[in-house]
Amino acid sequence: MRKIVVQMSLSLDGFFEGPGGDIGWHQVDEELHQHFNDVIAPMGGFLSGRVSHELMAAYWPTADQDPAASGPEREFARIWRDMPKIVYSRTLDHADWNATVVREVDVEQVRKLTAEPGGDLALGGADLAATFARHDLIDEYRIYVHPVLVGRGRRLFPDAETPTGLRLVESRVFGNGVVLLRHQRVR
């Protein structure tokens, strides 16, 4: 059974983006980027919302052609281009780069998708993650806590009706001070 994995960067005070969508405070150096590549490469696909997909599609398809790109950036460009993607959107008619547009999160369709063979599925986008969480579809959270206080912006976790039991399965400190907290659902 494939898992649905949320992988997000957060500030120490719980924001995934600052005011105006600012993510300039993310501290992704070569070590952290290589780690991202190592955990994403064996996955079976990306699940993302429209905004996340459009942000990724604006840069990654040709990032490996930029002479200033680091080795991990060039590697991720290839991973992103080749990985199958499902983009959840009510407004997009078409998405490029090996992507399929799906209008709504259908719990039964998602469960069928996780029952298919292949690697785990990387879930991106805070709004989509909130929808998946409401439907109890997230199996694992990989939260990368950056050593910064943003002060305001958008929080990753909206208010929930009930607690969600999690078990810490990994923690790691990177050289730049980012801390990975990897939790799996208690089922």
Side-chain angles (χ1 to χ4, degrees):
M1 193 88 165
R2 303 196 290 181
K3 293 184 297 188
I4 295 178
V5 179
V6 172
Q7 182 170 313
M8 293 285 286
S9 289
L10 291 183
S11 63
L12 184 60
D13 52 353
F15 297 100
F16 72 91
E17 65 182 20
D22 177 37
I23 59 170
W25 51 268
H26 286 194
Q27 298 177 23
V28 181
D29 60 7
E30 285 200 33
E31 176 195 18
L32 184 56
H33 207 293
Q34 187 59 57
H35 165 79
F36 290 160
N37 292 354
D38 293 345
V39 298
I40 290 173
M43 290 193 161
F46 289 112
L47 309 175
S48 62
R50 178 192 56 80
V51 173
S52 294
H53 177 76
E54 288 178 340
L55 286 171
M56 299 295 279
Y59 179 72
W60 289 110
T62 59
D64 55 343
Q65 298 168 19
D66 180 352
S70 68
E73 288 173 317
R74 287 191 299 277
E75 180 183 357
F76 185 78
R78 291 186 292 274
I79 292 167
W80 189 86
R81 267 195 316 265
D82 295 343
M83 184 86 57
K85 297 162 205 63
I86 295 176
V87 180
Y88 289 89
S89 172
R90 292 182 191 102
T91 57
L92 281 182
D93 291 321
H94 173 77
D96 291 320
W97 307 109
N98 201 16
T100 302
V101 176
V102 174
R103 295 283 174 229
E104 300 283 337
V105 175
D106 179 309
V107 173
E108 289 310 310
Q109 284 181 336
V110 172
R111 289 196 175 121
K112 287 178 186 173
L113 187 62
T114 61
E116 292 176 4
D120 293 339
L121 302 167
L123 178 62
D127 293 336
L128 186 61
T131 300
F132 271 63
R134 262 194 321 278
H135 291 297
D136 194 28
L137 294 170
I138 299 173
D139 301 296
E140 185 172 306
Y141 293 86
R142 292 181 187 164
I143 304 301
Y144 296 84
V145 181
H146 293 249
V148 63
L149 299 172
V150 175
R152 57 192 179 92
R154 289 188 63 202
R155 295 194 182 277
L156 175 59
F157 299 106
D159 293 340
E161 297 296 321
T162 59
T164 300
L166 302 171
R167 178 175 45 93
L168 180 67
V169 295
E170 179 185 4
S171 63
R172 176 178 173 184
V173 179
F174 294 89
N176 62 3
V178 172
V179 176
L180 163 63
L181 298 172
R182 182 175 160 219
H183 289 84
Q184 292 178 345
R185 279 280 286 150
V186 175
R187 299 218 184 253

